[in-house]
Amino acid sequence: ADQLLVTLRTAWLGHEAGALLAAPLEPFLDADGDEARRSLLVPLFTPTESCSLEGSSATKSRLVLSVLQDVVNESRFWRYAAGAWSLEQTVRSEGYAVSSFSAVDAEAGDAVWTTTSSYTQPTALSLADAGSPLEQEPLKSLPAFFNADGLKTQQLFATSADGTRVP
């Protein structure tokens, strides 16, 4: 689309370092001064103490953000249509699995490769549509190296001397 995406390394125009911002390209380039530019920026991701942006992947009509929330992977599916951004879906893998989504052909459509791995299940490759990322067509998987029946993954937190919760 006609959008400019900016990932901040330092704070800028009232947005924190680590934020991902979108703006209409031509109006942003033509804007006269920081106030005019600030009014065009749309935050697609704002970091917190426990949440950071790991990466992104664009398809023809969607932007997939890979986010770490308390060091647990989640994917956020944004859509740009009719001049506005909307968060359509947030996908958090089960059992602390890590799922990544990358465009098959960003110019041709919304198909995405999905790679999923966890501590108890082998890495698997699937094909999905960014509009319905949970409907996946399994393509390949590594063999299981051990029997994971009865095993579960859990995340625990510790509290540091200064009171900070650490995953």
Side-chain angles (χ1 to χ4, degrees):
D2 61 345
Q3 293 290 293
L4 170 68
L5 297 175
V6 180
T7 304
L8 300 182
R9 290 185 175 203
T10 59
W12 182 59
L13 297 179
H15 297 278
E16 295 181 39
L20 175 65
L21 310 171
L25 180 61
E26 291 300 325
F28 187 84
L29 294 175
D30 295 339
D32 187 26
D34 284 348
E35 273 310 307
R37 285 186 192 90
R38 181 190 334 262
S39 68
L40 296 170
L41 294 171
V42 176
L44 300 181
F45 175 80
T46 301
T48 66
E49 285 187 17
S50 61
C51 189
S52 62
L53 180 63
E54 188 176 31
S56 64
S57 179
T59 69
K60 186 172 180 101
S61 67
R62 288 177 175 77
L63 180 66
V64 184
L65 303 185
S66 178
V67 172
L68 291 176
Q69 175 70 44
D70 285 324
V71 199
V72 176
N73 171 263
E74 72 180 37
S75 299
R76 299 178 185 177
F77 291 79
W78 286 87
R79 182 170 189 182
Y80 181 74
W85 286 95
S86 60
L87 179 60
E88 289 189 324
Q89 190 169 7
T90 297
V91 174
R92 195 169 197 173
S93 301
E94 292 183 34
Y96 300 99
V98 174
S99 293
S100 64
F101 297 87
S102 57
V104 173
D105 183 347
E107 293 180 15
D110 289 330
V112 288
W113 300 113
T114 304
T115 305
T116 306
S117 62
S118 77
Y119 295 107
T120 57
Q121 298 299 314
T123 301
L125 175 67
S126 301
L127 186 62
D129 186 276
S132 52
L134 295 177
E135 298 173 21
Q136 299 178 7
E137 175 189 342
L139 300 174
K140 291 224 176 228
S141 177
L142 291 174
F145 293 108
F146 60 92
N147 182 354
D149 291 344
L151 298 179
K152 71 176 185 176
T153 303
Q154 61 181 347
Q155 181 181 43
L156 303 174
F157 287 80
T159 303
S160 68
D162 68 358
T164 304
R165 290 186 66 218
V166 182

